[in-house]
Amino acid sequence: MSGDNIIETKGLTKEFKGFIAVSDVDLKVKRHTIHALIGPNGAGKTTCFNLLTKFLTPSAGQILFNGKDITQAKPAAIARQGMVRSFQISAVFGHLTVLENVRVALQRVEGTSFHFWRSDECLNSLNAKAEELIEAVGVAEYRDTPAGELSYGRKRALEIATTLALDPEMLLLDEPMAGMGTEDIKRTAELIKRVSANRTILMVEHNLSVVADLSDTITVLKLGRVLAEGSYAEISKNPEVVEAYMGSGHA
């Protein structure tokens, strides 16, 4: 295994009662890059993503993270190893403020999530780190705002902040721009770029303009198989990719 690759799959396959959703996928994600997984509807993106993040168990094949076989590992186990799916562990509590939400996430890291009797002094000791995280994702001005009052885009930014509290080496994002307007998309794309500075990011995303702007490498799936891989400039000129998208009418 090359040390350049943080995650690799070999012959990754998932079958559901005779239907093969993912078939013999070989994937390599390089460290400190943004790698996008795209494809038309029914391509197997979500299934592949759920296999990588251990929400599904492969029917065949192998998954390695940092050279270690995680094929049979549980989501919590790989999170402890440094690979975290955004929204997998993070949770936004609408009645808590932005700062309190991130502080809860930091308590998880310390293993004190359920120590509700801790003193205010102990909890406040987490404020500096929490404020650093909310500053990093651009929601510092909403520090004392209940999360339930945030716009959709800022709520997603807060969710990323709670994920970053786990200090992941690799962050997996499942359609981070879904349901967002133009301004929120721009803000979230800038956030993803910032947090990728010292992390690896793998994302499933339908918005091809976002994929083009952010991704170092793109893997295109069709009918559960890898159709093409490369930079956006390369895959956008691939006749098979163009045909796949024109045929589906949806990215």
Side-chain angles (χ1 to χ4, degrees):
M1 293 295 166
S2 169
D4 289 340
N5 299 317
I6 188 169
I7 193 166
E8 300 187 29
T9 71
K10 289 186 172 184
L12 192 62
T13 299
K14 182 62 179 179
E15 181 178 346
F16 296 99
K17 297 182 179 179
F19 171 71
I20 300 176
V22 171
S23 180
D24 200 32
V25 168
D26 293 338
L27 180 69
K28 294 182 179 181
V29 178
K30 291 184 178 180
R31 295 180 191 281
H32 303 136
T33 64
I34 299 178
H35 194 123
L37 195 61
I38 70 170
N41 287 337
K45 304 182 299 295
T46 299
T47 302
C48 189
F49 198 80
N50 285 333
L51 289 168
L52 292 173
T53 54
K54 310 310 302 153
F55 280 71
L56 289 173
T57 301
S59 303
Q62 189 179 31
I63 305 170
L64 296 105
F65 178 63
N66 278 328
K68 182 177 179 180
D69 192 328
I70 61 165
T71 310
Q72 301 299 322
K74 301 297 184 184
I78 64 166
R80 287 192 294 270
Q81 292 178 43
M83 183 170 75
V84 179
R85 177 176 181 166
S86 185
F87 325 131
Q88 167 188 332
I89 293 178
S90 60
V92 168
F93 301 102
H95 65 290
L96 297 181
T97 67
V98 166
L99 182 73
E100 288 168 341
N101 266 281
V102 179
R103 201 166 63 184
V104 166
L106 289 169
Q107 282 183 262
R108 289 190 181 120
V109 178
E110 291 194 348
T112 58
S113 300
F114 302 104
H115 290 193
F116 298 116
W117 58 85
R118 294 188 78 191
S119 68
D120 286 343
E121 183 179 351
C122 289
L123 291 175
N124 289 338
S125 68
L126 300 173
N127 283 354
K129 181 61 177 177
E131 287 174 348
E132 180 183 325
L133 287 167
I134 64 176
E135 176 71 33
V137 301
V139 292
E141 64 184 288
Y142 302 97
R143 177 188 190 278
D144 299 315
T145 302
E149 297 178 13
L150 297 177
S151 70
Y152 184 71
R154 290 193 173 93
K155 195 174 292 182
R156 296 298 290 265
L158 173 57
E159 289 170 333
I160 290 177
T162 61
T163 303
L164 294 179
L166 300 175
D167 196 23
E169 184 179 0
M170 183 173 186
L171 185 60
L172 297 103
L173 304 176
D174 190 4
E175 298 187 25
M177 310 299 176
M180 290 188 185
T182 304
E183 283 304 310
D184 279 339
I185 287 174
K186 181 180 178 182
R187 188 181 298 113
T188 304
E190 290 171 350
L191 168 58
I192 291 171
K193 194 68 175 178
R194 286 202 305 275
V195 303
S196 72
N198 58 349
R199 295 177 180 85
T200 305
I201 292 180
L202 176 66
M203 66 178 183
V204 170
E205 179 53 55
H206 282 348
N207 189 320
L208 287 187
S209 64
V210 168
V211 170
D213 290 341
L214 289 179
S215 304
D216 299 297
T217 305
I218 300 167
T219 299
V220 185
L221 295 181
K222 181 183 179 184
L223 300 177
R225 293 181 175 272
V226 175
L227 178 64
E229 187 171 277
S231 66
Y232 182 79
E234 292 168 335
I235 66 109
S236 63
K237 295 174 184 176
N238 185 308
E240 291 182 292
V241 174
V242 173
E243 181 182 358
Y245 275 99
M246 288 181 66
S248 72
H250 185 57

